[in-house]
Amino acid sequence: MKKVSLSDSGPKVSEAIYGFWRWTDEGAITTSQIEKTVNLCLELGINTFDHADIYGELSIEEHFGKIIHNKSFKREDIVLFSKCGIRKSDNKYLTYYDTSKDHIINSINGSLKRLKTDYLDIFLLHQSDFLSDPEETATALAEIVKSGKAKHIGVANFTVFQHQLLASYLRIPIVTNHIELNLMNTSAIEDGRIDFIKQSFSKPLAWAPLAGGKILHGTEEKAVRLRAKLEEVGKKYEANIEQTAVAWLMKLGTLPIIGSLSESRIRNAASASDIALSREDWYEIYQATGK
């Protein structure tokens, strides 16, 4: 799998990225389980890994840090992301957002300690905070880059206006926006988020590339229609439904974040980078969404 520039200021990342958000659903997680998945990704050419402080209630970063500490691979051979901004109340019943300076600084320090690394390649805000002071937030982000704790900054789940607002307070670039994008949810195409990210000389990252499995197993009419079209078009490329759906995202210039724990699904997503859909086939699939 080739490496591509995430933005005009970097970094270089694999065309598919592995994210750990689904590991929170698995209950008892072991370091060896995560290490097995990481090694599979590296074997397939996926060298970019996406974390967040809340994944597994801090435990996923700790497991990954043990793998780094054990020198299973060289730190400089991987690209490491983490995020902050989503918090839970002490009783776990309330989820809220916090991009205050104190929380950003505390969060990156915690992530670095858990991951047992001196720096992150990208540190992202996980969600826009309606109560944030954009100047304070921007100052905190600039501070962590200046200190070397993060090489680049990004955002996730930001609208165009939220992205623009934060960028207006920064002298350093926002190198990406992690957005939900898949054939069941193409709103990022229609509402301008894809265009704005590209206008900023960046590549969008698409989370939930298979709509949480709906594209493969959903029973609603749209999912059934899409599966039929993906199967039809995929035959031209000797590709299955999953490979074709991920190749559709890559043709758009987005980088899918793979979250599956299944080896076969990780392999399918990685091999999608070898499929070059024609313009006609891309639009035929897009129109099957009802657009």
Side-chain angles (χ1 to χ4, degrees), residues 45-107:
I46 299 170
N47 76 331
T48 307
F49 299 95
D50 178 53
H51 291 271
D53 52 5
I54 63 166
Y55 293 166
E57 297 182 353
L58 310 179
S59 67
I60 305 302
E61 288 184 332
E62 289 177 348
H63 287 299
F64 201 93
K66 291 176 183 177
I67 298 170
I68 292 177
H69 183 70
N70 291 340
K71 301 189 186 314
S72 297
F73 46 79
K74 293 180 180 178
R75 169 64 182 90
E76 59 268 26
D77 290 340
I78 65 168
V79 181
L80 203 54
F81 301 173
S82 196
K83 303 183 289 294
C84 83
I86 299 178
R87 304 186 70 177
K88 288 187 179 295
S89 59
D90 291 340
N91 59 18
K92 308 297 182 184
Y93 289 126
L94 174 69
T95 298
Y96 65 102
Y97 308 130
D98 185 353
T99 60
S100 64
K101 182 177 180 179
D102 286 347
H103 182 63
I104 289 171
I105 299 301
N106 289 337
S107 179

Side-chain angles (χ1 to χ4, degrees), residues 221-240:
E221 187 272 336
K222 182 177 180 179
V224 173
R225 183 174 69 247
L226 277 168
R227 267 201 305 279
K229 180 57 65 177
L230 289 166
E231 184 175 16
E232 175 190 334
V233 173
K235 288 178 180 178
K236 300 180 184 180
Y237 302 89
E238 298 183 345
N240 60 32

Side-chain angles (χ1 to χ4, degrees), residues 49-223:
F49 299 95
D50 178 53
H51 291 271
D53 52 5
I54 63 166
Y55 293 166
E57 297 182 353
L58 310 179
S59 67
I60 305 302
E61 288 184 332
E62 289 177 348
H63 287 299
F64 201 93
K66 291 176 183 177
I67 298 170
I68 292 177
H69 183 70
N70 291 340
K71 301 189 186 314
S72 297
F73 46 79
K74 293 180 180 178
R75 169 64 182 90
E76 59 268 26
D77 290 340
I78 65 168
V79 181
L80 203 54
F81 301 173
S82 196
K83 303 183 289 294
C84 83
I86 299 178
R87 304 186 70 177
K88 288 187 179 295
S89 59
D90 291 340
N91 59 18
K92 308 297 182 184
Y93 289 126
L94 174 69
T95 298
Y96 65 102
Y97 308 130
D98 185 353
T99 60
S100 64
K101 182 177 180 179
D102 286 347
H103 182 63
I104 289 171
I105 299 301
N106 289 337
S107 179
I108 192 168
N109 288 340
S111 288
L112 292 175
K113 182 178 180 180
R114 288 186 292 274
L115 289 165
K116 300 186 186 303
T117 184
D118 296 328
Y119 70 95
L120 294 173
D121 294 278
I122 303 183
F123 187 66
L124 305 100
L125 300 183
H126 207 161
Q127 192 79 34
S128 178
D129 171 13
F130 300 140
L131 301 180
S132 72
D133 176 340
E135 184 174 7
E136 177 187 330
T137 299
T139 298
L141 293 172
E143 183 178 308
I144 64 175
V145 172
K146 184 177 181 180
S147 68
K149 293 178 181 179
K151 292 186 175 182
H152 305 276
I153 58 167
V155 296
N157 307 306
F158 273 43
T159 67
V160 171
F161 291 122
Q162 290 165 346
H163 194 152
Q164 286 178 318
L165 175 63
L166 180 60
S168 70
Y169 283 86
L170 286 162
R171 294 185 177 181
I172 54 177
I174 296 172
V175 299
T176 190
N177 187 0
H178 291 204
I179 54 176
E180 182 179 3
L181 177 62
N182 52 66
L183 283 162
M184 293 292 290
N185 180 1
T186 60
S187 60
I189 297 175
E190 290 90 41
D191 66 20
R193 277 176 289 163
I194 293 290
D195 292 335
F196 180 73
I197 297 165
K198 290 181 177 180
Q199 183 187 38
S200 304
F201 305 104
S202 301
K203 290 183 175 62
L205 272 65
W207 61 267
L210 296 172
K214 289 181 182 177
I215 290 173
L216 297 176
H217 308 297
T219 57
E220 59 187 279
E221 187 272 336
K222 182 177 180 179

Side-chain angles (χ1 to χ4, degrees), residues 4 22 41 52 100 174 186 274:
V4 297
R22 287 218 176 94
C41 288
S100 64
I174 296 172
T186 60
D274 298 325

